[in-house]
Amino acid sequence: MSNRVHPTTLGHMKGYGQFCPVAKTAEIFAQRWTPLIVRELCFGPKRFTEVHGGVPLMSRALLVQRLAELEEAGVIATEPLAQGKLYRLTPAGEHLGGIVTLMSDWGQRHGQGRIAHEELDPTLLMWGMRRQISQSELPDRQIVLRFDFRGIPRAHAARRYWWMILRSDDVEVCLKDPGEAVDVVLSADLEAFVRVWMGHRGLAEAIAAGDIGLSGQPPKVAELKRVLRLSEAPALRVLAFPP
């Protein structure tokens, strides 16, 4: 497939009136929400509802528009399904994955002071955690982890409790009790855990301060910290996409 952008695309996107390749990239990629849409598709092909789940504050109508623009620009392709479509990145779209990774790195290093309390969304945290767990790191035997968050924004108050089931071949996230015996309970202030998960704060310091607590048999707790890569000392987490 050609990486060339069709001239009619500029009729839908705001142009800069320059032939500079930076300007041409910005016309496609620098629109509001577009980098987050590409981020979602970097994790693999998705249905419309799955893409929208990664950008829940974006209106469905605007998402339809952005997806159409990206398809016209040759960034994504669609595959018809029995119901709806499957969206995936083209080779040109996959090339944008490098930009998304660079944006993640910059945000990790320079943007974390901008996190507002109302931006702390436990749903996005849990699904983000799920897809950052490498299958090669999963335990040989099932481990069930229960999260008990506090300090949650009012808009997400009903989503305090979560369960994560770690199996050798899969990771399952549940908002309702799955009825499995819990091995480890992680109780935490949501903001504190977000900062530990992202690597801006060490787990040891957060536990010592009483912001995070882990209860369970020591081997299970140790296995959980290994699988989730929860570092005792601050260590910035790198956004990783599956091959």
Side-chain angles (χ1 to χ4, degrees):
M1 177 179 293
S2 172
N3 292 342
R4 182 180 179 184
V5 177
H6 195 279
T8 58
T9 302
L10 298 180
H12 301 282
M13 300 179 181
K14 293 181 179 179
Y16 293 97
Q18 297 183 11
F19 62 82
C20 168
V22 174
K24 294 294 109 183
T25 303
E27 287 170 357
I28 297 170
F29 187 71
Q31 295 199 90
R32 181 169 170 80
W33 296 111
T34 295
L36 301 189
I37 295 170
V38 174
R39 178 199 66 190
E40 292 304 301
L41 293 175
C42 280
F43 287 101
K46 286 180 170 56
R47 296 171 180 265
F48 181 90
T49 53
E50 293 173 321
V51 177
H52 191 253
V55 285
L57 297 183
M58 184 181 189
S59 74
R60 296 176 70 89
L62 182 56
L63 178 55
V64 169
Q65 177 184 330
R66 287 286 187 270
L67 288 170
E69 291 171 351
L70 289 171
E71 184 175 11
E72 187 176 4
V75 172
I76 66 173
T78 59
E79 176 185 334
L81 300 173
Q83 293 184 338
K85 301 177 182 178
L86 189 68
Y87 297 88
R88 62 172 178 81
L89 294 176
T90 63
E94 291 173 354
H95 203 176
L96 289 174
I99 299 178
V100 175
T101 300
L102 289 173
M103 291 177 70
S104 172
D105 181 70
W106 190 95
Q108 278 279 63
R109 298 176 186 279
H110 307 292
Q112 290 309 300
R114 294 171 53 96
I115 296 178
H117 179 70
E118 60 271 16
E119 293 176 335
L120 297 170
D121 185 340
T123 302
L124 291 180
L125 169 66
M126 295 303 298
W127 286 105
M129 290 175 62
R130 179 185 183 276
R131 63 190 183 186
Q132 285 296 291
I133 297 173
S134 172
Q135 187 167 349
S136 64
E137 297 172 333
L138 291 174
D140 294 332
R141 297 183 180 181
Q142 175 176 293
I143 296 180
V144 180
L145 168 64
R146 192 187 84 204
F147 292 85
D148 181 355
F149 291 123
R150 58 185 183 274
I152 299 176
R154 184 175 300 178
H156 307 296
R159 299 186 173 186
R160 172 179 176 179
Y161 299 104
W162 292 85
W163 286 259
M164 180 178 285
I165 305 174
L166 301 161
R167 303 186 180 94
S168 60
D169 61 348
D170 188 31
V171 178
E172 184 178 355
V173 171
C174 308
L175 184 55
K176 295 183 179 179
D177 188 345
E180 301 274 1
V182 174
D183 297 298
V184 179
V185 175
L186 188 153
S187 57
D189 173 82
L190 180 59
E191 181 177 358
F193 184 75
V194 165
R195 294 194 180 280
V196 168
W197 167 253
M198 298 184 75
H200 288 269
R201 188 178 182 188
L203 179 63
E205 188 273 326
I207 290 177
D211 293 332
I212 294 178
L214 283 165
S215 60
Q217 296 180 356
K220 295 284 189 180
V221 172
E223 181 78 346
L224 175 73
K225 290 194 291 187
R226 182 193 66 79
V227 172
L228 296 184
R229 289 183 287 121
L230 298 177
S231 177
E232 298 293 341
L236 293 183
R237 188 177 295 271
V238 178
L239 182 66
F241 298 125

mmCIF file of all heavy atoms in Angstrom, residues 172-208:
data_model
loop_
_atom_site.group_PDB
_atom_site.id
_atom_site.type_symbol
_atom_site.label_atom_id
_atom_site.label_comp_id
_atom_site.label_asym_id
_atom_site.label_seq_id
_atom_site.Cartn_x
_atom_site.Cartn_y
_atom_site.Cartn_z
ATOM 1 N N GLU A 172 -6.998 -11.568 33.030
ATOM 2 C CA GLU A 172 -8.412 -11.182 33.034
ATOM 3 C C GLU A 172 -8.617 -10.091 34.070
ATOM 4 O O GLU A 172 -8.130 -10.186 35.200
ATOM 5 C CB GLU A 172 -9.285 -12.387 33.359
ATOM 6 C CG GLU A 172 -10.781 -12.100 33.291
ATOM 7 C CD GLU A 172 -11.623 -13.333 33.583
ATOM 8 O OE1 GLU A 172 -11.045 -14.426 33.740
ATOM 9 O OE2 GLU A 172 -12.864 -13.195 33.662
ATOM 10 N N VAL A 173 -9.346 -9.038 33.688
ATOM 11 C CA VAL A 173 -9.662 -7.937 34.590
ATOM 12 C C VAL A 173 -11.163 -7.926 34.823
ATOM 13 O O VAL A 173 -11.950 -8.005 33.878
ATOM 14 C CB VAL A 173 -9.198 -6.588 33.992
ATOM 15 C CG1 VAL A 173 -9.717 -5.421 34.820
ATOM 16 C CG2 VAL A 173 -7.681 -6.537 33.907
ATOM 17 N N CYS A 174 -11.565 -7.828 36.092
ATOM 18 C CA CYS A 174 -12.989 -7.891 36.453
ATOM 19 C C CYS A 174 -13.355 -6.730 37.370
ATOM 20 O O CYS A 174 -12.607 -6.409 38.302
ATOM 21 C CB CYS A 174 -13.316 -9.197 37.171
ATOM 22 S SG CYS A 174 -12.791 -10.700 36.333
ATOM 23 N N LEU A 175 -14.516 -6.141 37.114
ATOM 24 C CA LEU A 175 -15.051 -5.110 37.998
ATOM 25 C C LEU A 175 -15.950 -5.724 39.066
ATOM 26 O O LEU A 175 -16.178 -5.131 40.108
ATOM 27 C CB LEU A 175 -15.824 -4.066 37.185
ATOM 28 C CG LEU A 175 -16.389 -2.851 37.926
ATOM 29 C CD1 LEU A 175 -15.293 -2.123 38.697
ATOM 30 C CD2 LEU A 175 -17.067 -1.899 36.945
ATOM 31 N N LYS A 176 -16.431 -6.938 38.811
ATOM 32 C CA LYS A 176 -17.244 -7.668 39.778
ATOM 33 C C LYS A 176 -16.467 -8.877 40.278
ATOM 34 O O LYS A 176 -15.645 -9.444 39.559
ATOM 35 C CB LYS A 176 -18.567 -8.113 39.139
ATOM 36 C CG LYS A 176 -19.467 -6.950 38.732
ATOM 37 C CD LYS A 176 -20.791 -7.447 38.170
ATOM 38 C CE LYS A 176 -21.706 -6.289 37.787
ATOM 39 N NZ LYS A 176 -23.000 -6.763 37.221
ATOM 40 N N ASP A 177 -16.748 -9.275 41.500
ATOM 41 C CA ASP A 177 -16.056 -10.405 42.114
ATOM 42 C C ASP A 177 -16.218 -11.647 41.240
ATOM 43 O O ASP A 177 -17.342 -12.104 41.008
ATOM 44 C CB ASP A 177 -16.642 -10.660 43.516
ATOM 45 C CG ASP A 177 -15.845 -11.685 44.304
ATOM 46 O OD1 ASP A 177 -15.029 -12.411 43.700
ATOM 47 O OD2 ASP A 177 -16.050 -11.753 45.524
ATOM 48 N N PRO A 178 -15.118 -12.215 40.724
ATOM 49 C CA PRO A 178 -15.222 -13.392 39.853
ATOM 50 C C PRO A 178 -15.469 -14.688 40.613
ATOM 51 O O PRO A 178 -15.643 -15.742 39.992
ATOM 52 C CB PRO A 178 -13.861 -13.426 39.161
ATOM 53 C CG PRO A 178 -12.924 -12.825 40.167
ATOM 54 C CD PRO A 178 -13.727 -11.765 40.876
ATOM 55 N N GLY A 179 -15.480 -14.622 41.943
ATOM 56 C CA GLY A 179 -15.739 -15.823 42.726
ATOM 57 C C GLY A 179 -14.525 -16.709 42.916
ATOM 58 O O GLY A 179 -14.649 -17.856 43.353
ATOM 59 N N GLU A 180 -13.338 -16.184 42.596
ATOM 60 C CA GLU A 180 -12.096 -16.932 42.761
ATOM 61 C C GLU A 180 -11.450 -16.553 44.098
ATOM 62 O O GLU A 180 -11.595 -15.426 44.580
ATOM 63 C CB GLU A 180 -11.124 -16.610 41.621
ATOM 64 C CG GLU A 180 -11.648 -16.921 40.237
ATOM 65 C CD GLU A 180 -11.405 -18.370 39.847
ATOM 66 O OE1 GLU A 180 -10.849 -19.126 40.677
ATOM 67 O OE2 GLU A 180 -11.758 -18.748 38.713
ATOM 68 N N ALA A 181 -10.736 -17.499 44.699
ATOM 69 C CA ALA A 181 -10.025 -17.209 45.941
ATOM 70 C C ALA A 181 -8.944 -16.169 45.682
ATOM 71 O O ALA A 181 -8.160 -16.294 44.733
ATOM 72 C CB ALA A 181 -9.398 -18.486 46.493
ATOM 73 N N VAL A 182 -8.915 -15.120 46.496
ATOM 74 C CA VAL A 182 -7.958 -14.025 46.314
ATOM 75 C C VAL A 182 -6.636 -14.376 46.994
ATOM 76 O O VAL A 182 -6.601 -14.766 48.153
ATOM 77 C CB VAL A 182 -8.525 -12.716 46.894
ATOM 78 C CG1 VAL A 182 -7.480 -11.601 46.835
ATOM 79 C CG2 VAL A 182 -9.780 -12.301 46.123
ATOM 80 N N ASP A 183 -5.538 -14.233 46.251
ATOM 81 C CA ASP A 183 -4.204 -14.527 46.773
ATOM 82 C C ASP A 183 -3.548 -13.304 47.396
ATOM 83 O O ASP A 183 -2.864 -13.406 48.418
ATOM 84 C CB ASP A 183 -3.307 -15.063 45.654
ATOM 85 C CG ASP A 183 -3.817 -16.377 45.088
ATOM 86 O OD1 ASP A 183 -3.882 -17.356 45.839
ATOM 87 O OD2 ASP A 183 -4.159 -16.405 43.890
ATOM 88 N N VAL A 184 -3.730 -12.147 46.737
ATOM 89 C CA VAL A 184 -3.084 -10.912 47.201
ATOM 90 C C VAL A 184 -4.092 -9.774 47.133
ATOM 91 O O VAL A 184 -4.845 -9.667 46.159
ATOM 92 C CB VAL A 184 -1.846 -10.560 46.337
ATOM 93 C CG1 VAL A 184 -1.205 -9.266 46.824
ATOM 94 C CG2 VAL A 184 -0.834 -11.693 46.353
ATOM 95 N N VAL A 185 -4.104 -8.942 48.170
ATOM 96 C CA VAL A 185 -4.924 -7.734 48.179
ATOM 97 C C VAL A 185 -3.989 -6.535 48.145
ATOM 98 O O VAL A 185 -3.069 -6.438 48.968
ATOM 99 C CB VAL A 185 -5.828 -7.661 49.426
ATOM 100 C CG1 VAL A 185 -6.580 -6.327 49.454
ATOM 101 C CG2 VAL A 185 -6.812 -8.816 49.446
ATOM 102 N N LEU A 186 -4.209 -5.652 47.178
ATOM 103 C CA LEU A 186 -3.448 -4.421 47.075
ATOM 104 C C LEU A 186 -4.384 -3.265 47.398
ATOM 105 O O LEU A 186 -5.322 -3.005 46.643
ATOM 106 C CB LEU A 186 -2.841 -4.268 45.671
ATOM 107 C CG LEU A 186 -1.851 -3.120 45.471
ATOM 108 C CD1 LEU A 186 -0.859 -3.454 44.359
ATOM 109 C CD2 LEU A 186 -2.554 -1.791 45.129
ATOM 110 N N SER A 187 -4.163 -2.625 48.525
ATOM 111 C CA SER A 187 -4.956 -1.460 48.909
ATOM 112 C C SER A 187 -4.090 -0.226 48.717
ATOM 113 O O SER A 187 -2.922 -0.211 49.145
ATOM 114 C CB SER A 187 -5.423 -1.576 50.360
ATOM 115 O OG SER A 187 -4.329 -1.726 51.233
ATOM 116 N N ALA A 188 -4.633 0.789 48.075
ATOM 117 C CA ALA A 188 -3.778 1.925 47.733
ATOM 118 C C ALA A 188 -4.579 3.186 47.462
ATOM 119 O O ALA A 188 -5.721 3.135 46.998
ATOM 120 C CB ALA A 188 -2.938 1.593 46.494
ATOM 121 N N ASP A 189 -3.955 4.302 47.743
ATOM 122 C CA ASP A 189 -4.426 5.577 47.229
ATOM 123 C C ASP A 189 -4.209 5.543 45.721
ATOM 124 O O ASP A 189 -3.117 5.175 45.255
ATOM 125 C CB ASP A 189 -3.621 6.715 47.861
ATOM 126 C CG ASP A 189 -3.943 8.061 47.243
ATOM 127 O OD1 ASP A 189 -4.951 8.665 47.640
ATOM 128 O OD2 ASP A 189 -3.183 8.493 46.342
ATOM 129 N N LEU A 190 -5.241 5.894 44.962
ATOM 130 C CA LEU A 190 -5.170 5.725 43.505
ATOM 131 C C LEU A 190 -4.019 6.518 42.898
ATOM 132 O O LEU A 190 -3.269 5.995 42.067
ATOM 133 C CB LEU A 190 -6.500 6.143 42.870
ATOM 134 C CG LEU A 190 -6.580 6.032 41.349
ATOM 135 C CD1 LEU A 190 -6.319 4.612 40.881
ATOM 136 C CD2 LEU A 190 -7.947 6.520 40.851
ATOM 137 N N GLU A 191 -3.860 7.763 43.296
ATOM 138 C CA GLU A 191 -2.778 8.570 42.712
ATOM 139 C C GLU A 191 -1.413 7.982 43.055
ATOM 140 O O GLU A 191 -0.521 7.927 42.200
ATOM 141 C CB GLU A 191 -2.851 10.009 43.206
ATOM 142 C CG GLU A 191 -1.753 10.891 42.605
ATOM 143 C CD GLU A 191 -1.846 12.347 43.009
ATOM 144 O OE1 GLU A 191 -2.793 12.703 43.738
ATOM 145 O OE2 GLU A 191 -0.973 13.129 42.588
ATOM 146 N N ALA A 192 -1.256 7.519 44.285
ATOM 147 C CA ALA A 192 0.025 6.931 44.681
ATOM 148 C C ALA A 192 0.341 5.710 43.840
ATOM 149 O O ALA A 192 1.483 5.532 43.380
ATOM 150 C CB ALA A 192 -0.011 6.560 46.167
ATOM 151 N N PHE A 193 -0.674 4.861 43.606
ATOM 152 C CA PHE A 193 -0.399 3.664 42.819
ATOM 153 C C PHE A 193 -0.116 4.009 41.359
ATOM 154 O O PHE A 193 0.748 3.379 40.734
ATOM 155 C CB PHE A 193 -1.558 2.669 42.893
ATOM 156 C CG PHE A 193 -1.260 1.390 42.167
ATOM 157 C CD1 PHE A 193 -0.392 0.461 42.711
ATOM 158 C CD2 PHE A 193 -1.801 1.140 40.915
ATOM 159 C CE1 PHE A 193 -0.070 -0.710 42.030
ATOM 160 C CE2 PHE A 193 -1.489 -0.021 40.224
ATOM 161 C CZ PHE A 193 -0.626 -0.955 40.783
ATOM 162 N N VAL A 194 -0.833 4.978 40.809
ATOM 163 C CA VAL A 194 -0.565 5.398 39.430
ATOM 164 C C VAL A 194 0.891 5.833 39.292
ATOM 165 O O VAL A 194 1.580 5.471 38.330
ATOM 166 C CB VAL A 194 -1.521 6.537 39.010
ATOM 167 C CG1 VAL A 194 -1.029 7.223 37.731
ATOM 168 C CG2 VAL A 194 -2.921 5.999 38.789
ATOM 169 N N ARG A 195 1.390 6.580 40.264
ATOM 170 C CA ARG A 195 2.770 7.070 40.175
ATOM 171 C C ARG A 195 3.780 5.935 40.356
ATOM 172 O O ARG A 195 4.841 5.942 39.726
ATOM 173 C CB ARG A 195 2.983 8.191 41.191
ATOM 174 C CG ARG A 195 2.144 9.432 40.867
ATOM 175 C CD ARG A 195 2.575 10.662 41.625
ATOM 176 N NE ARG A 195 1.749 11.811 41.278
ATOM 177 C CZ ARG A 195 1.906 12.560 40.174
ATOM 178 N NH1 ARG A 195 2.877 12.264 39.324
ATOM 179 N NH2 ARG A 195 1.111 13.584 39.931
ATOM 180 N N VAL A 196 3.435 4.947 41.183
ATOM 181 C CA VAL A 196 4.320 3.781 41.309
ATOM 182 C C VAL A 196 4.288 2.962 40.030
ATOM 183 O O VAL A 196 5.318 2.517 39.521
ATOM 184 C CB VAL A 196 3.906 2.922 42.524
ATOM 185 C CG1 VAL A 196 4.621 1.566 42.498
ATOM 186 C CG2 VAL A 196 4.228 3.647 43.825
ATOM 187 N N TRP A 197 3.076 2.742 39.493
ATOM 188 C CA TRP A 197 2.950 1.960 38.260
ATOM 189 C C TRP A 197 3.728 2.601 37.117
ATOM 190 O O TRP A 197 4.397 1.920 36.346
ATOM 191 C CB TRP A 197 1.471 1.824 37.876
ATOM 192 C CG TRP A 197 1.256 1.311 36.492
ATOM 193 C CD1 TRP A 197 0.823 2.002 35.407
ATOM 194 C CD2 TRP A 197 1.484 -0.038 36.029
ATOM 195 N NE1 TRP A 197 0.770 1.196 34.293
ATOM 196 C CE2 TRP A 197 1.173 -0.063 34.650
ATOM 197 C CE3 TRP A 197 1.919 -1.202 36.648
ATOM 198 C CZ2 TRP A 197 1.282 -1.218 33.886
ATOM 199 C CZ3 TRP A 197 2.028 -2.360 35.871
ATOM 200 C CH2 TRP A 197 1.711 -2.358 34.519
ATOM 201 N N MET A 198 3.683 3.934 37.028
ATOM 202 C CA MET A 198 4.369 4.620 35.940
ATOM 203 C C MET A 198 5.858 4.791 36.209
ATOM 204 O O MET A 198 6.610 5.183 35.315
ATOM 205 C CB MET A 198 3.703 5.971 35.678
ATOM 206 C CG MET A 198 2.244 5.831 35.252
ATOM 207 S SD MET A 198 1.454 7.396 34.810
ATOM 208 C CE MET A 198 2.206 7.685 33.213
ATOM 209 N N GLY A 199 6.275 4.501 37.438
ATOM 210 C CA GLY A 199 7.694 4.529 37.743
ATOM 211 C C GLY A 199 8.212 5.823 38.300
ATOM 212 O O GLY A 199 9.432 5.990 38.452
ATOM 213 N N HIS A 200 7.325 6.753 38.648
ATOM 214 C CA HIS A 200 7.768 8.031 39.199
ATOM 215 C C HIS A 200 7.964 7.969 40.709
ATOM 216 O O HIS A 200 8.506 8.907 41.303
ATOM 217 C CB HIS A 200 6.754 9.127 38.845
ATOM 218 C CG HIS A 200 6.799 9.503 37.406
ATOM 219 N ND1 HIS A 200 7.587 10.511 36.910
ATOM 220 C CD2 HIS A 200 6.179 8.965 36.325
ATOM 221 C CE1 HIS A 200 7.447 10.597 35.606
ATOM 222 N NE2 HIS A 200 6.604 9.672 35.219
ATOM 223 N N ARG A 201 7.532 6.873 41.290
ATOM 224 C CA ARG A 201 7.689 6.706 42.730
ATOM 225 C C ARG A 201 8.017 5.243 42.997
ATOM 226 O O ARG A 201 7.499 4.351 42.323
ATOM 227 C CB ARG A 201 6.393 7.105 43.451
ATOM 228 C CG ARG A 201 6.491 7.166 44.960
ATOM 229 C CD ARG A 201 5.169 7.616 45.555
ATOM 230 N NE ARG A 201 5.258 7.723 47.003
ATOM 231 C CZ ARG A 201 4.211 7.956 47.795
ATOM 232 N NH1 ARG A 201 2.998 8.119 47.270
ATOM 233 N NH2 ARG A 201 4.370 8.024 49.109
ATOM 234 N N GLY A 202 8.863 4.986 43.952
ATOM 235 C CA GLY A 202 9.220 3.615 44.267
ATOM 236 C C GLY A 202 8.177 2.955 45.149
ATOM 237 O O GLY A 202 7.553 3.607 45.994
ATOM 238 N N LEU A 203 7.976 1.651 44.953
ATOM 239 C CA LEU A 203 7.002 0.918 45.753
ATOM 240 C C LEU A 203 7.390 0.917 47.230
ATOM 241 O O LEU A 203 6.529 1.074 48.106
ATOM 242 C CB LEU A 203 6.887 -0.520 45.237
ATOM 243 C CG LEU A 203 5.926 -1.435 45.997
ATOM 244 C CD1 LEU A 203 4.492 -0.920 45.902
ATOM 245 C CD2 LEU A 203 6.008 -2.865 45.459
ATOM 246 N N ALA A 204 8.662 0.761 47.521
ATOM 247 C CA ALA A 204 9.111 0.688 48.912
ATOM 248 C C ALA A 204 8.753 1.957 49.673
ATOM 249 O O ALA A 204 8.253 1.893 50.806
ATOM 250 C CB ALA A 204 10.619 0.439 48.962
ATOM 251 N N GLU A 205 8.983 3.103 49.060
ATOM 252 C CA GLU A 205 8.684 4.371 49.724
ATOM 253 C C GLU A 205 7.187 4.561 49.919
ATOM 254 O O GLU A 205 6.734 5.060 50.953
ATOM 255 C CB GLU A 205 9.283 5.520 48.916
ATOM 256 C CG GLU A 205 9.215 6.885 49.589
ATOM 257 C CD GLU A 205 7.909 7.616 49.311
ATOM 258 O OE1 GLU A 205 7.378 7.441 48.201
ATOM 259 O OE2 GLU A 205 7.428 8.352 50.197
ATOM 260 N N ALA A 206 6.391 4.144 48.912
ATOM 261 C CA ALA A 206 4.932 4.289 49.003
ATOM 262 C C ALA A 206 4.365 3.389 50.099
ATOM 263 O O ALA A 206 3.430 3.768 50.808
ATOM 264 C CB ALA A 206 4.297 3.959 47.656
ATOM 265 N N ILE A 207 4.932 2.193 50.243
ATOM 266 C CA ILE A 207 4.488 1.287 51.308
ATOM 267 C C ILE A 207 4.878 1.855 52.676
ATOM 268 O O ILE A 207 4.087 1.857 53.626
ATOM 269 C CB ILE A 207 5.081 -0.119 51.108
ATOM 270 C CG1 ILE A 207 4.431 -0.788 49.885
ATOM 271 C CG2 ILE A 207 4.874 -0.983 52.347
ATOM 272 C CD1 ILE A 207 5.007 -2.151 49.550
ATOM 273 N N ALA A 208 6.111 2.360 52.776
ATOM 274 C CA ALA A 208 6.581 2.928 54.043
ATOM 275 C C ALA A 208 5.736 4.124 54.472
ATOM 276 O O ALA A 208 5.514 4.344 55.669
ATOM 277 C CB ALA A 208 8.050 3.334 53.912
#
